[in-house]
Amino acid sequence: MKIDAVLGLSYGDEGKGKICHSLLEKNKYTHVIRFNGGSNAGHTIYHNGKKLITHLIPSGVFYGIKSVIGPGCVVDTHKFFKELEYLEENGIKTEGLVFIAKNAHLVQEIHTDEDSTDISIGTTRTGNGPCYRDKYARNGLRAEQYDKLEPYLIDIYKEFYGSNNKNIRILAEGAQAFHLDIDWGDYPYVTSSHCGIGSVLLNGFNHKQIKNVYGIIKAYDTYVGSKKFQPDEEVFERIQQEGQEFGATTGRKRQCNWLNWDNIRKSILMNGVNHLIINKVDILDKVNAWKIYYEGSVLDLQNQETFENWICSKGTELNTKVYFSYNPYDIKWDDKCKTAKNDLKNLDRFLG
Ligand code: IMP
Ligand code: MG
């Protein structure tokens, strides 16, 4: 069994949906599994030229691949059925493809009601936090306790460790991101689940199965929630506009800031990232500003070439391949840093 994982390394909305979609086209997978979160997520995917947004259902359905909502997730059944309908209406076949681990927990009305008035964290108000709280308090309801879900239930052990299950290749689709992780994010401005590589394992897998870890970032940071994140500079409003930084789940404006490499370094090292993807380089190009937080201060890299070379050199130091993307639809899988190597010497000179 082999698992490739797609993880957000910042604060969510890095474009994990797009990268999953591209990996599903590129590689042969037998399953896609969502391992954390619930309908608080919003994955924007362009499929055959059409823009679609999913919240809960893994992206395997776009390619006719078994799509499993894992035991680390929480499921709002009302939204689950609505999303199945939405996909079918948009020509995506879901029948016989979508499964929910029988030990996943259910988001109940009391959870969404409670979350609906939150202002202190700035949650997505989808009942996520209260549901996980009740799970850990051993007061929760599991998917297997709800009759209407019967046709979708799956037993992770039987599915992945049964005697006739050979050549399983899983894409583990993350939601939220490492700096929203309940333990590693900026508590309490976090989500209530685990968003790193450990979370994949908690869904019934082991470390020997992990093959590739794709870490996703944008060329700048965004965050949605109550704390102040965006500095009072006009350039960030331009980035917000050009990047169309609005939440896919709530429609809220995302606050913008320069990419924080100190955070990304931590995410790469703690999650064993070996492929780093930088989305939305085209947006920084539009505002023509190439800055990064590095060791606590702002580093002005002045132009796109230096910006990319800098990330290449830092990524290479951390043993990860580096890929840049310039549009919302797809990505070229050529390791840019191989060709950039020659420029790195010049970069050293530039940075003194
Ligand atoms: P919750 O996950 O709805 O409890 O929200 C907790 C925090 O995580 C809030 O700041 C949300 O805006 C943020 N959050 C949750 N899910 C996502 C996501 O998919 N993208 C970006 N931020 C998210
Ligand atoms: Mg999102």
Side-chain angles (χ1 to χ4, degrees), residues 11 13 40-42 121-124 128 176 180 190-191 224-225 252:
Y11 302 92
D13 307 314
N40 49 352
I121 305 299
T123 71
T124 59
N128 206 263
Q176 290 83 49
L180 287 175
V190 294
T191 191
V224 231
R252 291 178 292 176

Side-chain angles (χ1 to χ4, degrees), residues 20 29 38 51 136 151 226 231 253 272 305 308 314:
C20 285
Y29 294 100
K51 180 178 174 176
Y136 286 99
S226 289
K253 256 191 192 178
E305 200 186 346
E308 291 186 0
K314 291 293 162 196

